[in-house]
Amino acid sequence: MKIGASTLAGIEDTLDKTLEFIENLGLDYAELVHQFPCENIDSDLLSSYNLKYSIHAPFMDVNIASLQNQSRLNSIKQIKSSIDFANKIDADAVVVHPGTTSFLPNKYFRNEVINFAKESMIELGEYGQDLGVLTTFENMPSFDSMIYSDMVELDEFLKENELYMTLDIGHANHSGKSAETMYLDSIKHVHIHDNFGDDDTHLTLGEGSIDLNHIVNTLEKNNYDGIYIIEVNNYDSIKKSYEYMKKNF
């Protein structure tokens, strides 16, 4: 089982401190959140740790489903930069959010938003394939501003276009998916955290209500060979979540 942690937990710290913490826990992977305050990451710094990496492409002020051409095209450009960086450091995967919406687009132009998201995902998926970089698209939590909170809908689109998913277990639970229905063939990367279904809280594993054992055991029975990235809020939560995984899996 490949286990890592997201650097999101150390967003207020320097990257080197976060990577040192992850390495000292004995984890094998770190997922680099490739946006402010870590837009420019020194590859020499990364090579100084005994870690392998995945990349979370920027999602702050980025929207590949934007109806505004300049905003959408700039967002695609930024994510391609993350894919380029993943190629440079031989990262195992890149995670991309499928886009967001807002009140007016959601009310009047939702179909157009979805169509732009699809076009962007296809373009980014093909860009990653050309570079040999596994580019995955993440199911979203159930907020009004999010699209593709329905992971089955996302899976159908991805399979039609030979693209792949990052399963975010907490997001799926927040969107009402049961543990029994979270396995899909397009899943190549996993974000694991807990919640009670009422919010996207990124709790320590075992502190919410998600049947994590059923989900992970199902993935393992289906020969899942990707990484489980612990995506929680602070260092202590990473430590406790890793202990939970070692104890239960």
Side-chain angles (χ1 to χ4, degrees):
M1 179 179 285
K2 304 172 186 176
I3 305 174
S6 170
T7 61
L8 184 66
I11 193 168
E12 294 182 296
D13 277 330
T14 59
L15 181 59
D16 58 334
K17 181 176 179 180
T18 305
L19 295 177
E20 182 177 355
F21 178 84
I22 291 171
E23 181 183 56
N24 287 342
L25 276 183
L27 289 163
D28 296 321
Y29 292 84
E31 183 156 290
L32 306 168
V33 182
H34 194 208
Q35 65 177 19
F36 181 87
C38 294
E39 288 180 87
N40 300 303
I41 300 174
D42 183 357
S43 57
D44 289 337
L45 171 68
L46 301 181
S47 63
S48 67
Y49 296 94
N50 188 31
L51 291 167
K52 300 174 184 177
Y53 299 99
S54 58
I55 303 289
H56 199 311
F59 52 90
M60 185 170 61
D61 304 325
V62 169
N63 182 13
I64 65 170
S66 175
L67 298 180
Q68 299 296 119
N69 283 337
Q70 291 186 57
S71 296
R72 186 178 66 260
L73 294 175
N74 183 267
S75 296
I76 291 170
K77 181 179 178 181
Q78 290 184 61
I79 292 171
K80 284 182 176 178
S81 294
S82 289
I83 297 171
D84 289 338
F85 186 62
N87 182 48
K88 178 180 178 180
I89 66 170
D90 197 26
D92 281 54
V94 174
V95 180
V96 181
H97 283 191
T100 60
T101 186
S102 57
F103 174 74
L104 285 177
N106 205 32
K107 184 175 182 180
Y108 297 109
F109 304 113
R110 186 169 181 84
N111 287 339
E112 288 84 351
V113 169
I114 297 297
N115 286 337
F116 277 130
K118 289 178 176 179
E119 290 177 9
S120 298
M121 286 190 280
I122 290 170
E123 180 177 346
L124 290 167
E126 290 177 347
Y127 188 81
Q129 288 170 5
D130 288 344
L131 291 176
V133 174
L134 176 62
T135 303
T136 66
F137 300 91
E138 183 176 358
N139 62 299
M140 292 289 98
S142 186
F143 295 125
D144 289 342
S145 62
M146 299 295 180
I147 61 174
Y148 283 114
S149 58
D150 184 340
M151 61 182 290
V152 174
E153 181 184 358
L154 178 61
D155 175 69
E156 290 173 353
F157 166 74
L158 296 177
K159 286 192 295 188
E160 287 172 1
N161 293 278
E162 298 182 347
L163 301 173
Y164 303 104
M165 184 188 298
T166 285
L167 166 64
D168 188 296
I169 292 172
H171 292 176
N173 190 62
H174 183 244
S175 299
K177 297 297 289 182
S178 67
E180 291 76 19
T181 59
M182 281 194 203
Y183 178 78
L184 295 166
D185 290 337
S186 65
I187 296 168
K188 296 293 184 182
H189 192 69
V190 171
H191 286 169
I192 187 166
H193 49 97
D194 214 337
N195 62 51
F196 288 98
D198 58 341
D199 201 358
D200 181 32
T201 44
H202 288 251
L203 298 177
T204 300
L205 303 188
E207 292 188 357
S209 62
I210 304 176
D211 188 350
L212 297 167
N213 288 40
H214 182 91
I215 296 164
V216 173
N217 288 334
T218 301
L219 286 162
E220 292 299 303
K221 286 176 184 177
N222 283 277
N223 300 313
Y224 172 71
D225 191 39
I227 312 165
Y228 295 90
I229 293 292
I230 298 168
E231 192 180 56
V232 290
N233 297 315
N234 54 60
Y235 295 146
D236 187 56
S237 188
I238 292 177
K239 183 175 184 293
K240 290 178 179 176
S241 294
Y242 184 37
E243 290 170 352
Y244 178 96
M245 293 196 76
K246 289 189 291 184
K247 178 180 178 181
N248 289 277
F249 310 123

